[in-house]
Amino acid sequence: KWNDNAYGSITWMILGMHMLHIIVLGVEDIYLLIWTFAKGIDDKHAVDLTVTATYWYWIVGMWVLLFPLIYLTPRLL
């Protein structure tokens, strides 16, 4: 449970923040997709799409590093 110990609280806080982050970025991606289909792509929005795609790769890379740290290390200790 989230309130059993500090590890549970930290884990649920990280998961909650991650879920909020995914929701916000998902809404932004949907907005960019609608904008692109409705009005076409210009230089400014092309940069926005590139930055968003690069950011998603960065998030995946961070979770590749964070998963062992958060979920596997406590089981080994």
Side-chain angles (χ1 to χ4, degrees):
K1 290 184 179 180
W2 71 271
N3 59 355
D4 283 345
N5 53 36
Y7 176 72
S9 298
I10 291 170
T11 301
W12 280 103
M13 182 63 166
I14 290 171
L15 288 173
M17 293 303 291
H18 182 61
M19 180 58 92
L20 177 66
H21 189 236
I22 287 175
I23 290 169
V24 169
L25 287 177
V27 169
E28 180 185 10
D29 289 345
I30 290 169
Y31 171 75
L32 283 172
L33 185 67
I34 291 170
W35 180 277
T36 302
F37 282 126
K39 298 191 178 189
I41 191 165
D42 56 358
D43 289 340
K44 179 185 179 299
H45 289 93
V47 171
D48 289 343
L49 290 169
T50 303
V51 168
T52 300
T54 305
Y55 187 67
W56 278 109
Y57 282 119
W58 184 80
I59 292 297
V60 170
M62 292 307 321
W63 270 104
V64 167
L65 298 174
L66 284 173
F67 180 79
L69 181 68
I70 295 170
Y71 298 106
L72 300 179
T73 302
R75 288 174 172 73
L76 298 174
L77 296 177

